[in-house]
Amino acid sequence: MSLLRVCAFTSKRLNTQLLFVDLSFAGCLRTASGAAKDKEPLRKAKTPQGRFDMDDEKPKDPLQKFPDDVNPATKEQGGPRGPEPTRYGDWERKGRCVDF
Amino acid sequence: MLFCAYKPLTNAIVAVKRNVIDCIPRNVLLLNKHSDRQISQYPVVDHHFDAVVVGAGGAGLRAAFGLSEAGFNTACVTKLFPTRSHTVAAQGGINAALGNMEADDWRWHFYDTVKGSDWLGDQDAIHYMTEQAPASVVELENFGMPFSRTEDGKIYQRAFGGQSLKFGKGGQAHRCCCVADRTGHSLLHTLYGRSLRFDTSYFVEYFALDLLMEDGECKGVIAFCMEDGSIHRFRSKNTVIATGGYGRTYFSCTSAHTSTGDGNAMVTRAGLPCQDLEFVQFHPTGIYGAGCLITEGCRGEGGILINSEGERFMERYAPNAKDLASRDVVSRSMTIEIREGRGCGPEKDHVYLQLHHLPPQQLAVRLPGISETAMIFAGVEVTKEPIPVLPTVHYNMGGVPTNYKGQVITHVGGEDKVVPGLYACGEAACASVHGANRLGANSLLDLVVFGRACALTIAETGTPGEKLSPLKPNAGEESVANLDKIRFAEGTIRTSEIRLNMQKTMQNHAAVFRTGDLLKEGCDKMDAIYQSMEDIKTFDRGIVWNTDLVESLELQNLMLNAVQTIHSAEARKESRGAHAREDYQDRMDELDYAKPLAGQEKKSFDQHWRKHTLSTVDIKTGKVTLGYRPVIDRSLDQEECSAIPPAIRSY
C-alpha cells in the first residue's frame, strides 16, 4: 500500500497531466494487488476495430469469379463478375446502380 | 507579429520572428492584408508554364499528358491526388462504334446522342465526339487499359445507354466497352501512369482560387497550397478547366464531397457565362443520407415504393406500369408524395423501398450483394426493413460553354466569341454533347475526347516555350483578400449550417418536381441564403491544412452554381430532357415537330426554348442575369454526316 501512496504523492507533487504518469500509476495498482485479477485476454474497446475482432469468419463475396475469368454465357474475358450488370437497363453491382 | 507561413516544417500557427527574406525564393511578392487584429502576410510564388490544367480527373489527366506529349511545359493543379478524383467512381463503360459485336457506324451513335440530348446538344460537337470515339478507345487500349475481350481478342461491347442501330430502326446496338466493373478507376490509373512518362508537373492539394484575367484574356490561375498555406500564381498562355461537376449543391447526390463546381465558379467570378446549369440528371432511388443509388432492378424484381402510410403510391400515379414506370415519372411521384406530407422519417423527407416481402433466396440470387449494400449504406436489414430512398443527383449536363475544339466561348452581339487562353473539358464543360439529357456511357467518352481536343487545339494554336505577356504585379489580389476575409470570418452562422440550408432548399425547390411557384419561392430563399454568406463564421484561424477555410471557399463556389441553377430553371418555361416542369409539360421548339411541318410559321428566337441558357452572376448582390444562345444544328461536315433535324423524342 505504501507503494500506492508514494505513486499518488509523486503524481500530486509533479502536478502534470502527462499520460505516462497515469499509466505508471495504474501499473503500480496492478502489481500492488498481487496476482492479476483479470484472467481473460485483453480485449480492445468497443471501437469499430474492436467489434470486428469478434467476428472471425469473413463474409463470402456474393459475386463469384468465373473460371479463368471467362463468362460462360457471353464468352467475355475479363468482364464484370456475377450476373450481367446491364440486365435492368442501368449498371448494377451489388444492388447499387452506377449509371456511368 | 509576423506570420511567416512559408516553411511547412514549423507549426505555422506559432508566430515566428525571423528575417522574412530567408524563406522567400525569387520572384515573391508580399501582400499585406489587414484584418482587425493582425497583419497577415501571404508569400506569393510565381510560376511560368506553357499550359496549366486545373483538375486531374479523366479529362484533366488526358489534357495534361496530351500537352506534355506535344512538348509543352505543363502544370496540373489539383485539390485531390489524381487517382482520388470522382472519375474513379465510374463503373460502367465507354461508348464507341467499334463494330466488334455487330456491324456498326459512328453516324448511328451520333443519331442516338443527338436524340438523347433532346435536340439541345450542339451537333458539331456531337459529330466530333462520336467520330473520334473509336480512335480514342483504341488509343486508351494502346495505353494499357485492360478492356474486357471477346473470344477473338477484340474489345467486348455490351448494350447500354439507349444505343440503337440504323438511326433507331435497327434494334439494340452493343457499343459499351468496359473494364470488368471498374472502368473509371482503370481509366484514371491508366492515364495517370501514362502521364508520368512525360514530365508534367503535378501540384497536388493546391486549391485553385481564381482565374487571372486581363483585358478579357486568361493569363493563368491563382491557387492556394493547402499543405503550407502559400499562394501560387501559375502564369500561362493556356489554361484548361477540368474541375468536374457540382452535385454537392443538393442534399442527396452521388458525387464526392469534393464535387463543388470550382471551375464553374471561377468562370463566373471572371465575368464569363455558364451554360445550361438547370439541366441536372436525377435518379429516383438514391439511399437517404448516403447518396448511393439503388438499381432499378430492385423494382424490376418486385420491390415497391411506399410512403409513410404504408401505401404503394405508384398505383395512383401510374396505374398500369406502377413501380416500373419510367424514371422521371417515378422521381416526380416520389417528390409529390414528400411534398404533400406523406414522407417517411423524422423530417418526412424520403420514401421507403420495400423488399422484405420478396423471398430472401430470390433476392440473393437475382440481386447478389444487395443485403451488404443495404446494411453498409442504409444500416437496414433488407429482409426485414425497407430502405429509405429519395431522388438523387448524379450528373450535371451544364457547365462552362465551349466550342467543339474545347475553347471557352462567350456570346457577344449574337455571335460566339472565343475567350483567348481559356479551355474547358469534362463534366465542367458544356460542349454541349449531352444537351438536355446525358446517355449512360457517354460521359467517360466525353472526358477522353474533349481532354484530347483541348490538348490538340493548344498544340495547334501555340508553340512550347512562347514568351508570356506581362501581367499586372497585383493580379489575384481580390482572391487573396477573399481568402483572408473567410479565414478570419466572425459572423454568426457556421459554414455547415449555410451549406445544409442551401442543400435542403435546392432539394425541395429545384429537384425533379418543378413548377413556377415552387421555383419562384426557391429563388427567393436562395437569394436570402446567398446574402447570409456575409454572416459566415469560421473557427480555424491557421493557414496550414485549414479545412474550415477550404470548405468555406468550396461553399462560395457551390453557392454560385446553385443560384444560377435555380434561376435558369425558373426562367425556362418548357419541359426538355432532364428539366421537367409540371406547369409546362411540352417542349417548345421553333416549329411544332409533333405536327406536319408544312405550313407552320417559325417562331422567333425569343418565343421558343430550343436554345442554350447563359447565366452570369453579380458577385456582390447575387443577382443572376440570363441570356440565350442558339443551338448549333450543323454537323462538322454535312457530306460526311448530315445533321439530324429535330423530331419528337420517344423511346
Side-chain angles (χ1 to χ4, degrees), chain B residues 137-209:
Chain B
V137 169
V138 171
E139 191 184 45
L140 281 175
E141 192 266 337
N142 290 342
F143 290 154
M145 194 160 154
F147 285 105
S148 62
R149 305 281 173 169
T150 61
E151 275 179 304
D152 323 331
K154 292 197 205 161
I155 296 178
Y156 184 87
Q157 295 182 286
R158 48 177 27 86
F160 186 49
Q163 304 293 320
S164 66
L165 297 167
K166 299 205 181 70
F167 303 104
K169 302 185 185 69
Q172 179 72 45
H174 297 77
R175 272 188 207 124
C176 176
C177 316
C178 70
V179 177
D181 61 346
R182 47 171 222 278
T183 313
H185 175 270
S186 175
L187 172 73
L188 214 49
H189 282 262
T190 307
L191 291 177
Y192 181 61
R194 185 80 184 168
S195 74
L196 294 176
R197 194 185 158 187
F198 307 100
D199 41 347
T200 316
S201 314
Y202 279 100
F203 291 88
V204 178
E205 287 167 358
Y206 279 65
F207 187 85
L209 296 169

Side-chain angles (χ1 to χ4, degrees), chain A residues 62-63 74-80 83-100, chain B residues 91-93 148-149 151 156 158 180-181 283 293-297 301 327 366 368-369 372-373 377 394 438 443:
Chain A
L63 297 169
T74 57
K75 305 282 184 286
E76 182 187 1
Q77 289 177 357
E84 170 62 35
T86 56
R87 63 195 190 282
Y88 295 116
D90 54 13
W91 189 277
E92 179 271 339
R93 285 295 277 179
K94 297 190 182 176
R96 289 169 63 183
C97 154
V98 184
D99 227 17
F100 283 109
Chain B
Q91 286 191 10
S148 62
R149 305 281 173 169
E151 275 179 304
Y156 184 87
R158 48 177 27 86
D181 61 346
H283 189 277
L293 301 174
I294 293 282
T295 177
E296 295 182 43
E301 291 299 331
R327 275 192 195 179
R366 297 282 179 80
E372 199 186 308
T373 299
F377 293 105
H394 69 106
R438 175 194 64 97
S443 56

